[in-house]
Amino acid sequence: MIDLGHFALVAAWLMAMYGLCVGMWAAWSGRPAGVLSARNAVMLTALFSGVALAGLARAFVQHDYRYTYVWQHSNNDMPWYYLISSVWGGMDGSMLLWASFMSFYALSVMVKWDAAPERLARWLPPVLSGATGFFLTVVAFFTNPFRLVPNGAVLTDGNGLNPLLQNPSMLIHPPMLYAGFTGFVVPCAFCFAALISGSLGDQWIVLTRRWTLIAWAFLSTGIILGGNWAYIELGWGGFWAWDPVENASFLPWLSGTAYLHSVMVQERKGMLKIWNASLCLLTYLLAVFGTFLTRSGVVQSVHAFADTDVGWVFLLYIGIVATLSAGLILYRRTELRPDKALDSYFSREAAFLYNNLALLAICFATLWGVMFPVLSEALTGQKSVVGPPFFNRVNVPLFLALLFLMGVGPLIAWRRASWRSLARTFAKPFGLGVFVSVVCLWFDTTRPLASLAFGLSSFVLFTVESEFRRGARARRELLGSGGGVVALVRRKPRRYGGFLVHLGVAIMAIAITASMAYKTERDVTLAVGAKTIIGRYQLSLENLRIEKAQNYEALISRVRVEDAATGQLLTVLEPERRFYARNEETTTEVAIRMTLRDDLYVALAGSETAGLAPQAPADPLKLPAVFKVFINPLQIWLWFGGVIMLFGTVVVIGPAVSVVSREERQVAADAVRS
Amino acid sequence: MNRRFIIAIVIVCVTVSYLVYSSVSATAKSVVTVAELLKGGPRANIRVGARVADRAIEQLAPQPNAAAGEGSAVSGIQFAVRDIQGDPNEIITVQYHHVMPENLKAGRDVIIEGQYSDGKFEAKTLLTQCPSKYVPPTPGAGSSGAGQSGSAGGAYSTTGSAGK
């Protein structure tokens, strides 16, 4: 008996192939009926993918161990929400999730395609079907989650999901990331369709802006959630390790951010057309490349799925798409010539260009670092790796340049900015930024880069503040009354939402600088009753106890935290260590005290067995406990900044309602009368 | 194509290339195997993928914490590793002056970074492999309990890492 889910997967694949072939033929020969048929195929692909995904989820929730994949990643003890997240807990299901999300985006394009010029729109079904078709091919033929258990064995319980994955972050981080990655197929498909059809007006950029922003928002959220997960769950005290898979998600984000900015130049000035087309396609390719990195075993990573045979298929796809993209752009290069030339190095167009160059430089450098083991071995025979020191050394200066541009860019004039206009707009924020830098440097002369970073971030904060203030004042002068910041934002969501995003990023920059420059880390051994002083905290171990849960046994420590100066009790933290018998896995559950000023982060690393005979059985309750303690200054501001950034993005995306207030109507009416 | 545009791009490319090149030179680590180490002389700045040998893991005397005495020091560990592919009896000794990761035992694969001389490896970082982390076992091959299908390409835990 074939499962509905499996059947739907095959049906989805068939629909995608139909959409690709019939769509190409219909678009090429100009058959409206064929185009419509292909469009329906795209919509059916989404429907069947959804059914397949639901079918897999059903199998997990109902403990259907006929399927190898279900057995490998779940067991009877798991609650329903982790069972659902097990759908993407392994390679096969995550590939199906990816393909499904892409097909849903394709569906949304088909629903809204009346807005696109017909010459372009007719190519959308085959292009979208080609993209979803590739991923459905991978799922259906290489990583099928509906594979049956060998030898028809009847199993009553499963292997269980890796305990490290059984936490709330697993429920949203991968879906967010995938919704981000796959979303870039929309602008990419429009770009392809525009290049193929020759319908190269700027409408496709305007049409796809919202999708691009939505994809970017999901990707940003996914990355930040990943950092949060690493921080709270993994116990090494940090949130970003420049791990290859982390970098893989970062690369399309970087080029996507560059693209989001440079399209503004094309919209207003008709410049950078080839640049934007290339960036659009590059972002999609980097997203696919990212998933290739995660699944092929090409580079080693804590996140990577196991080595599979799928790697070459991805490389082939990337190669084909890259070749087609380059070919199409070359073919259309005369139609893509800019309307204007770059007038001055000191203009907003130039600032956007520098922004793009900085982002792409970071992207290239990060890619280089990720691929370095492969490249070094291929070129020199000796495999070499680079780690966080490399990435920090290269990327920190580039990020600082970006911070500067974030402050300058939105304010500098188009075409050519005069020194006078620059001075008028920037004197105060720049002066304040310099002041902040000097103050930081005065307090700590050993970290000039950190002082510079704090100064630049403050510069951005002050420019945002001055822009809001200026905007509010202009409204007041025009209308007689304010309405304040909220009305300002509603009136011009793109501009002021963008400022909010920059504000969020600047706050995150401050938090990251504090974390990189001023973090405190200690390994400490405490017997029960002992105390130690770290930074402004005094920690003492009150007791140790063992608790048994359904699938693990936990060693829990009770740590009393007091203010080192006053002795006041601040809190009690209970970091623990869990041992999962089934998988022979140990995980650490960190305890964190978050304040606006810093995070006190305590991880229980184990028991101190020095002085014991080797291999002697040790009772952890009687041994001193070993802790890793971190003090992370301003850490919480990283998350606050992320939330502000995302809120700003929502504002930018949000309903494009031009809110003309009653006061504005009154002013307009008065002007007409007088 | 606009000349100013191209000049700007070229300047940025040159600067970034230089930045990347100098950073690689300063921070790159060579990846070597235990077998290669045993054949050669002292090396610094290397990363080794190895397997914990079937010898006892010893505690080292606690070293006082370099960062200003709050009293408690953390002892380190000394253990032996062998080449993953090669002769199990050809081992080198590894010293690691931080908290021992709890899943460190004979047969587990590790990644160590640091320097080597004369049979002894001074490890600055130590990562251990989680068993069957992302290479799930196949069902029916002795059902319950974790099967070991860990390959050299498996995933590594970060919980035991990070010396400075």
Side-chain angles (χ1 to χ4, degrees):
Chain A
M1 191 206 86
I2 192 166
D3 186 283
L4 179 64
H6 193 180
F7 173 75
L9 170 63
V10 175
W13 178 81
L14 283 170
M15 286 292 106
M17 292 301 112
Y18 179 87
L20 175 63
C21 301
V22 172
M24 275 207 298
W25 164 81
W28 183 262
S29 52
R31 305 285 176 98
V35 170
L36 261 162
S37 178
R39 174 181 183 244
N40 292 337
V42 170
M43 294 169 76
L44 282 174
T45 308
L47 174 69
F48 285 126
S49 300
V51 172
L53 196 61
L56 188 58
R58 175 214 66 83
F60 271 98
V61 172
Q62 292 188 343
H63 304 299
D64 191 342
Y65 298 122
R66 284 176 298 154
Y67 301 108
T68 303
Y69 184 72
V70 176
W71 182 89
Q72 285 172 335
H73 298 283
S74 68
N75 59 31
N76 294 337
D77 297 331
M78 289 166 60
W80 66 270
Y81 40 88
Y82 287 145
L83 284 170
I84 298 212
S85 71
S86 301
V87 167
W88 50 83
M91 164 76 135
D92 306 354
S94 74
M95 216 55 256
L96 178 58
L97 186 72
W98 178 290
S100 304
F101 276 6
M102 194 174 270
S103 71
F104 298 158
Y105 275 112
L107 170 69
S108 70
V109 171
M110 293 296 100
V111 166
K112 300 216 110 187
W113 81 345
D114 290 338
E118 193 278 330
R119 260 175 71 207
L120 186 158
R122 68 164 77 150
W123 283 101
L124 289 173
V127 171
L128 287 168
S129 294
T132 44
F134 166 72
F135 290 100
L136 285 169
T137 307
V138 170
V139 181
F141 296 103
F142 292 88
T143 65
N144 187 352
F146 296 106
R147 265 174 307 130
L148 294 171
V149 156
N151 307 320
V154 176
L155 303 161
T156 49
D157 198 359
N159 185 48
L161 185 67
N162 188 315
L164 261 176
L165 299 180
Q166 289 188 47
N167 68 78
S169 293
M170 184 59 181
L171 299 172
I172 35 172
H173 161 67
M176 284 277 158
L177 273 183
Y178 288 11
F181 287 134
T182 55
F184 285 111
V185 80
V186 174
C188 182
F190 271 85
C191 184
F192 250 101
L195 288 170
I196 295 175
S197 67
S199 167
L200 288 161
D202 288 344
Q203 300 122 311
W204 70 268
I205 289 188
V206 176
L207 280 169
T208 55
R209 183 196 304 143
R210 190 169 270 167
W211 270 294
T212 313
L213 280 167
I214 289 174
W216 187 88
F218 277 128
L219 188 55
S220 307
T221 311
I223 293 174
I224 295 174
L225 281 175
N228 181 266
W229 182 351
Y231 183 69
I232 292 189
E233 279 302 317
L234 294 185
W236 53 279
F239 48 85
W240 187 263
W242 295 109
D243 174 87
V245 172
E246 289 173 343
N247 293 337
S249 70
F250 199 42
L251 295 173
W253 184 89
L254 289 163
S255 78
T257 307
Y259 173 69
L260 274 177
H261 285 85
S262 59
V263 289
M264 291 190 234
V265 179
Q266 182 165 346
E267 277 179 54
R268 286 210 183 59
K269 299 283 165 177
M271 295 164 63
L272 300 179
K273 295 185 190 181
I274 295 186
W275 183 265
N276 286 326
S278 312
L279 267 183
C280 180
L281 299 166
L282 177 68
T283 306
Y284 175 71
L285 282 172
L286 284 173
V288 181
F289 183 72
T291 205
F292 156 74
L293 271 186
T294 321
R295 293 161 204 284
S296 64
V298 163
V299 286
Q300 243 162 13
S301 160
V302 286
H303 298 80
F305 295 104
D307 290 351
T308 61
D309 307 320
V310 152
W312 69 267
V313 180
F314 276 92
L315 274 181
L316 191 62
Y317 178 66
I318 291 174
I320 293 176
V321 174
T323 313
L324 277 174
S325 313
L328 278 169
I329 291 180
L330 270 171
Y331 175 58
R332 296 286 183 196
R333 66 188 180 284
T334 42
E335 287 116 314
L336 289 170
R337 258 209 292 261
D339 299 342
K340 293 193 180 62
L342 190 67
D343 287 315
S344 158
Y345 288 122
F346 288 106
S347 61
R348 197 176 300 182
E349 298 93 311
F352 275 116
L353 175 63
Y354 303 146
N355 148 296
N356 267 221
L357 290 175
L359 283 164
L360 289 176
I362 297 171
C363 187
F364 165 73
T366 307
L367 181 61
W368 184 264
V370 168
M371 297 307 293
F372 194 67
V374 178
L375 292 170
S376 58
E377 191 167 24
L379 292 177
T380 68
Q382 167 65 54
K383 189 175 191 180
S384 296
V385 294
V386 287
F390 166 79
F391 292 106
N392 290 330
R393 224 175 110 133
V394 177
N395 288 335
V396 164
L398 294 168
F399 276 118
L400 291 177
L402 262 181
L403 266 180
F404 177 69
L405 287 168
M406 252 197 335
V408 167
L411 271 51
I412 197 171
W414 290 99
R415 291 206 58 194
R416 192 188 303 268
S418 66
W419 280 111
R420 268 196 43 218
S421 69
L422 282 174
R424 206 173 353 117
T425 336
F426 289 117
K428 207 149 73 155
F430 191 74
L432 284 169
V434 168
F435 176 69
V436 168
S437 276
V438 166
V439 166
C440 291
L441 207 52
W442 185 71
F443 275 110
D444 180 6
T445 50
T446 62
R447 297 213 163 79
L449 267 184
S451 301
L452 178 62
F454 285 132
L456 284 171
S457 310
S458 315
F459 170 56
V460 175
L461 292 178
F462 292 130
T463 57
V464 170
E465 183 270 337
S466 89
E467 276 306 292
F468 270 98
R469 198 158 28 90
R470 189 174 310 161
R473 188 174 59 219
R475 273 181 73 83
R476 255 199 317 277
E477 281 169 11
L478 180 67
L479 304 172
S481 69
V485 165
V486 173
L488 197 62
V489 169
R490 284 173 76 196
R491 189 73 176 82
K492 281 196 183 163
R494 279 184 77 189
R495 179 173 175 81
Y496 290 97
F499 280 132
L500 285 175
V501 174
H502 286 177
L503 177 70
V505 174
I507 293 176
M508 290 176 82
I510 292 176
I512 293 173
T513 309
S515 173
M516 284 179 72
Y518 294 106
K519 179 194 287 254
T520 310
E521 179 182 348
R522 297 263 192 283
D523 292 344
V524 135
T525 310
L526 290 174
V528 173
K531 34 168 94 78
T532 185
I533 293 185
I534 302 179
R536 64 189 184 108
Y537 298 106
Q538 174 172 280
L539 304 172
S540 49
L541 179 59
E542 285 192 355
N543 63 49
L544 293 164
R545 65 185 192 279
I546 291 190
E547 275 180 14
K548 286 193 186 11
Q550 193 164 41
N551 50 348
Y552 65 84
E553 187 178 283
L555 172 66
I556 307 177
S557 63
R558 198 177 154 83
V559 176
R560 192 183 166 84
V561 179
E562 289 158 346
D563 185 304
T566 67
Q568 181 196 13
L569 173 68
L570 296 172
T571 186
V572 171
L573 295 174
E574 298 199 326
E576 55 183 89
R577 221 165 152 72
R578 295 185 185 170
F579 178 69
Y580 292 80
R582 185 186 223 122
N583 308 69
E584 290 182 21
E585 279 246 24
T586 317
T587 66
T588 179
E589 299 298 311
V590 170
I592 311 177
R593 175 180 186 259
M594 295 187 183
T595 66
L596 290 180
R597 196 172 140 182
D598 57 31
D599 275 15
L600 175 65
Y601 182 107
V602 183
L604 176 60
S607 303
E608 177 60 77
T609 50
L612 285 187
Q615 321 291 18
D619 181 0
L621 292 177
K622 299 211 179 65
L623 294 171
V626 182
F627 296 96
K628 270 178 109 62
V629 181
F630 294 86
I631 299 182
N632 297 321
L634 302 180
Q635 179 68 48
I636 204 172
W637 292 96
L638 182 67
W639 318 121
F640 285 165
V643 168
I644 293 175
M645 186 177 120
L646 292 167
F647 174 68
T649 314
V650 169
V651 168
V652 174
I653 296 174
V657 179
S658 183
V659 180
V660 182
S661 67
R662 199 160 20 106
E663 292 89 351
E664 287 168 318
R665 272 199 283 271
Q666 186 65 41
V667 167
D670 289 344
V672 166
R673 250 183 278 122
S674 66
Chain B
M1 269 273 252
N2 196 229
R3 204 159 59 109
R4 281 202 179 87
F5 197 63
I6 297 182
I7 292 177
I9 293 181
V10 166
I11 292 180
V12 171
C13 281
V14 167
T15 318
V16 172
S17 303
Y18 168 72
L19 199 54
V20 168
Y21 174 73
S22 75
S23 303
V24 166
S25 309
T27 64
K29 297 187 180 71
S30 299
V31 178
V32 290
T33 61
V34 175
E36 288 167 17
L37 281 181
L38 285 168
K39 287 202 208 89
R43 298 187 67 162
N45 265 336
I46 50 176
R47 172 192 283 195
V48 182
R51 184 160 293 164
V52 180
D54 204 6
R55 306 267 192 287
I57 300 176
E58 292 160 28
Q59 299 285 340
L60 297 172
Q63 285 189 352
N65 236 308
E70 294 96 29
S72 328
V74 170
S75 66
I77 49 172
Q78 180 168 288
F79 58 100
V81 297
R82 47 162 279 216
D83 194 280
I84 294 179
Q85 322 284 38
D87 185 348
N89 292 316
E90 296 198 346
I91 58 168
I92 60 175
T93 322
V94 178
Q95 285 200 349
Y96 178 63
H97 297 282
H98 291 277
V99 177
M100 176 176 107
E102 256 188 33
N103 46 7
L104 186 73
K105 34 167 97 88
R108 288 277 161 86
D109 285 353
V110 294
I111 294 182
I112 40 180
E113 288 180 6
Q115 60 208 38
Y116 168 81
S117 89
D118 211 20
K120 258 199 94 163
F121 192 101
E122 185 66 40
K124 278 214 271 299
T125 68
L126 165 63
L127 298 172
T128 52
Q129 181 191 30
C130 293
S132 63
K133 186 166 173 135
Y134 291 102
V135 187
T138 24
S143 31
S144 65
Q148 281 278 1
S149 42
S151 59
Y156 286 80
S157 142
T158 53
T159 49
S161 75
K164 284 231 180 81

